[in-house]
Amino acid sequence: MSITFSPLDTPNQQVALQRVADAEHRLLAEIHTQEQGTDTFHTLKWRIASCRVLENLIRLGPNESTRSSVALSIVGCRDESQLVELGASYVQDLLIPLRGPKCRAPDLGGVSRFIFDEDDDEMDNAAQGLLQDHNTAKMKALFRDSSRCVVTGHIDLSAAENNIVLQKEVKEEFTRYSHYICENTRGVHILPESTRRPDNQAGTSVWEILERFGYESLCKENTGVGHHRLQNLLTMEPDVCDLFNSLKLWFEPTERDNTYRIKCYHWAFINLEREVTFTTPDAKTFPLPSRESLEIHATCCKVIHASDILTYIDELLDVYSDCDDDEVSCMDDKEDSEENWSSDEDPELASKD
């Protein structure tokens, strides 16, 4: 699977990339003098990965605002240490929150460490009511998605149980594919709820970063009760949900409205890669998934894999599920160990060191 890089639009971006390349070159020279397996070696690997995150946020940024924002931050760094700190902050404040509702950031060797957790302050009654009615939002999304997983096209089991037409379609699938499985789908959030630092101090959240990237309106729409908008929901069967939430599967926007290329960064599921067009019986009552939200999710997936940082995140983070009721066990790291497949990753994204 190949990843297409964005063109460099401004001299500022070129200067920023050169600064990152220089820092990475120095770190690579240093790591070659260290013994593998030592704390120093591991710390240097993380610092190199942090630099690559900066590089790929520019190269893979979905729009000019994103690329310019990252480039400006890089140019503003005084030295290599600040540059690494900046890359680590994007890992902690953007990439990790999209990998799961709760996770702990690793020690990056001098880089600040934070805990990411869901906001446990009391929500207003409207927000509480919407969260308690998440199943209703999911069922609306399922109706919009024709009672199917948006990736595999498999019919939802719960919908088929009370629908003779769907039952007939399932039986037809059984005759064509003897191993066809009909499962209950899950309602999957494209973007997570806003996160905060545990010490209640002012800090950068994923939404603040996205605002700088040019997604101000999207941030406003998804805050508070807007989190369960149909524009932020997809229906997927469990295995696909695992891949999507662990940032190994994403929807690559195409030139056509509501049409995406499904990309999967896992050798065992490359058969899922295809083109899909989202449709709805009523765009006003059952709005389609947000192109911008899917664009953000896709960018984070590509940055993580192009930076060769996913394995490190899995090794050093205690990622555990705290999903909504129908998203339980969306991330099971024991069953999804990167060590089992990292050697088969796309050579175009292989580590530069």
Side-chain angles (χ1 to χ4, degrees):
M1 182 194 67
S2 61
I3 290 179
T4 303
F5 293 99
S6 303
L8 300 183
D9 296 322
T10 66
N12 205 34
Q13 294 172 21
Q14 297 173 1
V15 171
L17 281 178
Q18 188 59 54
R19 288 198 61 182
V20 172
D22 291 343
E24 184 178 339
H25 180 76
R26 288 191 293 270
L27 290 168
L28 285 171
E30 184 178 354
I31 200 172
H32 289 317
T33 67
Q34 303 296 321
E35 183 179 351
Q36 291 192 27
T38 63
D39 289 344
T40 300
F41 183 89
H42 204 61
T43 296
L44 287 170
K45 289 279 285 185
W46 264 105
R47 296 172 79 85
I48 291 169
S50 295
C51 289
R52 289 176 179 169
V53 166
L54 294 176
E55 172 190 351
N56 287 303
L57 277 172
I58 293 179
R59 293 190 180 278
L60 297 168
N63 53 50
E64 174 59 23
S65 295
T66 299
R67 297 189 288 273
S68 294
S69 174
V70 177
L72 186 62
S73 298
I74 292 171
V75 173
C77 292
R78 294 192 301 271
D79 51 32
E80 181 182 296
S81 179
Q82 269 201 352
L83 200 66
V84 172
E85 186 93 28
L86 177 64
S89 72
Y90 280 116
V91 174
Q92 295 169 325
D93 295 332
L94 177 63
L95 303 181
I96 285 177
L98 261 71
R99 181 144 170 80
K102 273 189 179 179
C103 43
R104 184 172 68 251
D107 184 350
L108 295 177
V111 178
S112 303
R113 185 181 184 209
F114 302 106
I115 304 291
F116 291 90
D117 203 344
E118 292 183 349
D119 195 336
D120 56 6
D121 293 336
E122 284 191 13
M123 293 180 290
D124 58 35
N125 292 334
Q128 288 282 12
L130 187 56
L131 288 176
Q132 292 169 1
D133 199 28
H134 172 68
N135 283 338
T136 299
K138 186 259 182 172
M139 293 309 295
K140 288 183 178 180
L142 184 61
F143 176 78
R144 177 200 64 193
D145 298 335
S146 301
S147 302
R148 288 168 167 78
C149 168
V150 295
V151 173
T152 65
H154 292 173
I155 296 171
D156 177 82
L157 177 60
S158 61
E161 286 179 342
N162 300 308
N163 189 307
I164 296 177
V165 174
L166 291 179
Q167 289 177 17
K168 181 180 178 181
E169 291 186 37
V170 170
K171 291 176 182 178
E172 291 174 351
E173 291 294 332
F174 286 153
T175 61
R176 284 194 290 266
Y177 308 102
S178 59
H179 298 292
Y180 180 85
I181 297 175
C182 186
E183 298 183 90
N184 288 327
T185 58
R186 293 177 178 146
V188 183
H189 294 106
I190 302 171
L191 297 180
E193 288 187 89
S194 180
T195 56
R196 65 170 176 84
R197 300 182 192 278
D199 54 7
N200 293 316
Q201 295 179 356
T204 303
S205 74
V206 62
W207 299 114
E208 290 173 291
I209 292 176
L210 294 181
E211 284 180 356
R212 296 202 301 267
F213 285 0
Y215 296 100
E216 296 91 346
S217 60
L218 184 66
C219 294
K220 292 178 182 178
E221 292 167 355
N222 278 275
T223 55
V225 296
H227 176 55
H228 295 297
R229 298 182 316 138
L230 293 191
Q231 293 92 329
N232 197 41
L233 280 177
L234 295 167
T235 52
M236 298 178 181
E237 57 187 81
D239 286 344
V240 179
C241 169
D242 293 342
L243 292 169
F244 186 83
N245 280 345
S246 58
L247 303 182
K248 300 190 189 86
L249 181 143
W250 64 93
F251 296 82
E252 185 78 32
T254 68
E255 300 77 17
R256 299 189 301 281
D257 290 343
N258 301 313
T259 299
Y260 303 84
R261 296 184 186 92
I262 298 172
K263 298 289 186 179
C264 188
Y265 199 78
H266 196 304
W267 65 269
F269 293 93
I270 57 174
N271 61 309
L272 295 177
E273 294 191 346
R274 65 187 182 92
E275 196 169 273
V276 61
T277 299
F278 295 143
T279 60
T280 176
D282 185 337
K284 184 175 181 179
T285 306
F286 302 97
L288 290 171
S290 163
R291 179 185 178 91
E292 289 184 328
S293 296
L294 289 168
E295 181 179 72
I296 292 165
H297 180 271
T299 297
C300 290
C301 290
K302 291 185 289 185
V303 167
I304 282 179
H305 295 297
S307 304
D308 196 29
I309 200 171
L310 184 58
T311 301
Y312 304 140
I313 289 176
D314 281 349
E315 287 177 353
L316 298 178
L317 297 181
D318 292 327
V319 181
Y320 57 98
S321 176
D322 188 30
C323 303
D324 291 330
D325 288 344
D326 69 344
E327 292 182 51
V328 172
S329 72
C330 288
M331 288 184 299
D332 187 344
D333 289 323
K334 291 182 180 179
E335 296 180 0
D336 194 31
S337 171
E338 299 300 325
E339 295 176 0
N340 293 335
W341 60 274
S342 58
S343 61
D344 295 306
E345 293 175 353
D346 194 321
E348 292 186 29
L349 306 182
S351 174
K352 298 178 183 179
D353 57 347

